[in-house]
Amino acid sequence: MATHTSTPVAEMGSSAEKSQKHQDALQDAELGHIGAHIGSSSASDLGKEETTQNGEEESIDYKTLTWWQAGVVMVAETVSLGILSLPSVVATLGLAPAIVVMVVLSFFSWYAGMVMGEFKAQYNWVENFGDAVEIMGRSIGCGPLFQEIFGWAQTIFLVFVMGSHILTWTICLNTLTNSAACTIVWGVVGLALFWACNLPRTLRAAGHYSFVSFASVFTAVLITMIDVGIEKPIGSTAIDVSRKVPFTSAFLGVANIAASFSGHSCFFNVLTEMKNPKDWPKALALLQISDTVLYIVASVVIYIFVGPDVPAPALSAAGSHVVRKVIWGIAIPTIVIGGVIYGHVAARYVFVRIFKDSKHLVKKTWLGNISWLGITALVWTIAWIIAQSIPVFNNLLGLMCALFASWFSFGIPGMLWLWMYYGEWFTSPKRILLFSINIGLVLVGFLLCVLGLWSAGEVISHDKGTAPWSCASNAAP
């Protein structure tokens, strides 16, 4: 396996200076691959190189996000669903274990994002995990196979997250309308709305309306905390610092916490659309500080006031039905915008794979535009089917984390670091420390996958809640 030692932008432990001879050899070894790969994976670079020489077609510039816009986009796509499940997770695990797990997984999540920034700095054509794992796979002759497996696995994960947004949308509409229509109908309405919002082919607008998304979820959660504080004073409900619960229920709670920090599937795409990728650490810090503080404060406060019966999603915890409707109405932007960001990344991957090495990737052509409409409609239809098939919010998040987030947010980033610094793991105390952290990332991913799948399967098989493909309301009573 080749050793890759060029200095990364966001390296947590800076390595010793490498000789110019080694850097030149590395560049020569990669030159052929860069030339072949750039046409299929780096739509952003193509968008800049291929100018409007043909006046009939308009080029698309994908480099549109400043660091703060990138950070807000990631906050919008990560916090929108993550915060809604955590109060019920605290009720399951108890206060102390839940807070410890949140802090630990927050650290691993942040560090995984830093590793992804390092990898992107060395291989700037990487747009997704398929591209990243393909680079590792080339050393054992499995590059194309790994790209197919992990690229499409990432897309499937994104579609599962989109399904969670449609499910949350149906809960919202049932709450606002007193279940005036069949839940399946509300799902179809959500499908149409999300699809319409996914018509733009870049994240340019997302950098602005993600502010609305963050304000939406922050305000909704704040009103929920105020309402439960008024309706249920401290001391009126039982509070457990720790609890004894069945292993499957406990680990499903851990998986839900991991899912709340699992925005990494979009990170490479956001990096690709940043104007200056060197600002990635600032964008990542904005995300990690925002979501960790909001998660801990909101989940602990809501649990303390509501007690063990706190519902999921947590916005239904408000005691007053009128206030509950106000909260869900305020939350509509975060439900929609967060889903649209995931929908954009999923559709973009399919679009790039179909139109690689063609002008349709970087120019607004008739075929490209029609294809984008069809691809976005297809991925949202699949997401709607998933939402109808797994209609319990926490169960869907737990299954989603076990199958995909375990690797994309934890396991694979750890493998990327181990691959980048293969042969240099023990060259200094800092490297030994980083080696230990990345082994921890891989172990966390493995345990979340294996134990999470078992726990989610057990809970889903015994769940007597809302039946799949049912018109029954899924709103809290």
Side-chain angles (χ1 to χ4, degrees):
M1 182 179 295
T3 301
H4 300 272
T5 56
S6 57
T7 304
V9 172
E11 181 177 359
M12 294 193 56
S14 60
S15 60
E17 289 187 10
K18 305 301 186 296
S19 68
Q20 184 63 42
K21 179 178 178 181
H22 180 78
Q23 293 182 11
D24 292 342
L26 176 61
Q27 292 171 0
D28 291 341
E30 298 296 339
L31 185 58
H33 179 71
I34 293 174
H37 197 86
I38 195 170
S40 61
S41 293
S42 186
S44 58
D45 292 338
L46 280 172
K48 287 184 175 295
E49 292 171 2
E50 194 169 323
T51 57
T52 54
Q53 295 175 357
N54 183 349
E56 298 177 359
E57 296 168 344
E58 181 183 352
S59 294
I60 301 173
D61 180 14
Y62 289 95
K63 295 280 190 181
T64 60
L65 299 177
T66 61
W67 73 265
W68 57 266
Q69 288 175 321
V72 173
V73 166
M74 293 190 294
V75 169
E77 55 98 2
T78 302
V79 173
S80 57
L81 288 184
I83 197 170
L84 302 185
S85 67
L86 293 184
S88 66
V89 171
V90 175
T92 299
L93 300 178
L95 272 174
I99 293 174
V100 170
V101 173
M102 283 187 218
V103 172
V104 171
L105 289 181
S106 173
F107 168 77
F108 277 121
S109 173
W110 166 77
Y111 180 74
M114 294 293 287
V115 171
M116 292 173 67
E118 291 186 16
F119 196 85
K120 176 73 172 178
Q122 292 195 24
Y123 304 98
N124 63 4
W125 64 84
V126 169
E127 277 200 4
N128 50 66
F129 276 102
D131 291 343
V133 179
E134 185 267 341
I135 293 172
M136 291 195 297
R138 278 188 283 130
S139 61
I140 56 174
C142 295
L145 176 63
F146 282 10
Q147 183 178 52
E148 294 297 330
I149 293 174
F150 288 94
W152 288 109
Q154 175 183 329
T155 304
I156 294 171
F157 168 57
L158 294 170
V159 175
F160 264 79
V161 181
M162 293 157 61
S164 295
H165 280 268
I166 290 184
L167 176 58
T168 309
W169 167 265
T170 62
I171 297 172
C172 175
L173 267 290
N174 276 324
T175 302
L176 292 176
T177 65
N178 295 320
S179 307
C182 172
T183 296
I184 296 176
V185 172
W186 289 135
V188 173
V189 172
L191 187 160
L193 174 63
F194 286 113
W195 173 74
C197 292
N198 257 144
L199 296 185
R201 284 173 55 182
T202 75
L203 286 174
R204 182 194 301 270
H208 300 286
Y209 57 59
S210 289
F211 276 109
V212 178
S213 175
F214 179 76
S216 165
V217 68
F218 180 81
T219 305
V221 170
L222 181 63
I223 295 176
T224 302
M225 290 191 292
I226 293 173
D227 181 81
V228 298
I230 295 173
E231 294 286 331
K232 300 178 180 180
I234 293 178
S236 62
T237 57
I239 299 173
D240 295 315
V241 176
S242 62
R243 295 189 65 203
K244 277 191 174 183
V245 293
F247 177 81
T248 52
S249 298
F251 204 84
L252 187 63
V254 174
N256 273 268
I257 295 176
S260 68
F261 291 106
S262 63
H264 300 69
S265 56
C266 295
F267 283 7
F268 280 133
N269 194 270
V270 172
L271 269 161
T272 297
E273 301 202 20
M274 286 182 68
K275 292 180 179 178
N276 184 9
K278 292 183 179 181
D279 288 333
W280 172 249
K282 292 189 287 186
L284 188 62
L286 174 60
L287 164 68
Q288 213 61 39
I289 293 172
S290 299
D291 63 10
T292 303
V293 171
L294 194 56
Y295 287 166
I296 293 176
V297 172
S299 59
V300 169
V301 169
I302 292 175
Y303 169 66
I304 286 176
F305 284 106
V306 178
D309 297 324
V310 59
L315 299 184
S316 296
S320 165
H321 286 279
V322 174
V323 175
R324 193 180 301 172
K325 288 182 179 182
V326 171
I327 292 170
W328 275 107
I330 293 173
I332 288 177
T334 196
I335 296 170
V336 175
I337 293 170
V340 166
I341 293 171
Y342 281 105
H344 171 85
V345 178
R348 178 178 164 86
Y349 180 80
V350 179
F351 189 86
V352 169
R353 294 308 303 275
I354 293 174
F355 291 109
K356 62 180 179 180
D357 300 318
S358 77
K359 66 178 181 179
H360 307 293
L361 194 62
V362 294
K363 290 184 177 292
K364 293 181 179 179
T365 64
W366 179 86
L367 178 59
N369 291 337
I370 294 298
S371 298
W372 179 259
L373 297 181
I375 291 169
T376 51
L378 175 63
V379 294
W380 277 112
T381 300
I382 297 173
W384 172 74
I385 293 172
I386 292 172
Q388 298 302 322
S389 302
I390 310 176
V392 179
F393 184 75
N394 276 10
N395 292 353
L396 179 53
L397 284 185
L399 177 63
M400 182 179 69
C401 173
L403 281 172
F404 304 110
S406 55
W407 294 111
F408 293 129
S409 295
F410 302 99
I412 295 179
M415 294 177 188
L416 293 178
W417 188 93
L418 293 172
W419 185 83
M420 283 190 291
Y421 297 102
Y422 178 74
E424 302 178 15
W425 298 342
F426 308 110
T427 55
S428 69
K430 285 186 178 180
R431 280 290 169 82
I432 294 173
L433 175 61
L434 293 177
F435 171 78
S436 302
I437 293 174
N438 284 280
I439 289 294
L441 271 178
V442 176
L443 288 176
V444 167
F446 176 78
L447 292 175
L448 283 173
C449 179
V450 176
L451 299 180
L453 275 177
W454 175 42
S455 301
E458 282 282 317
V459 172
I460 291 174
S461 64
H462 293 94
D463 198 291
K464 305 299 181 183
T466 307
W469 295 94
S470 170
C471 274
S473 174
N474 54 8

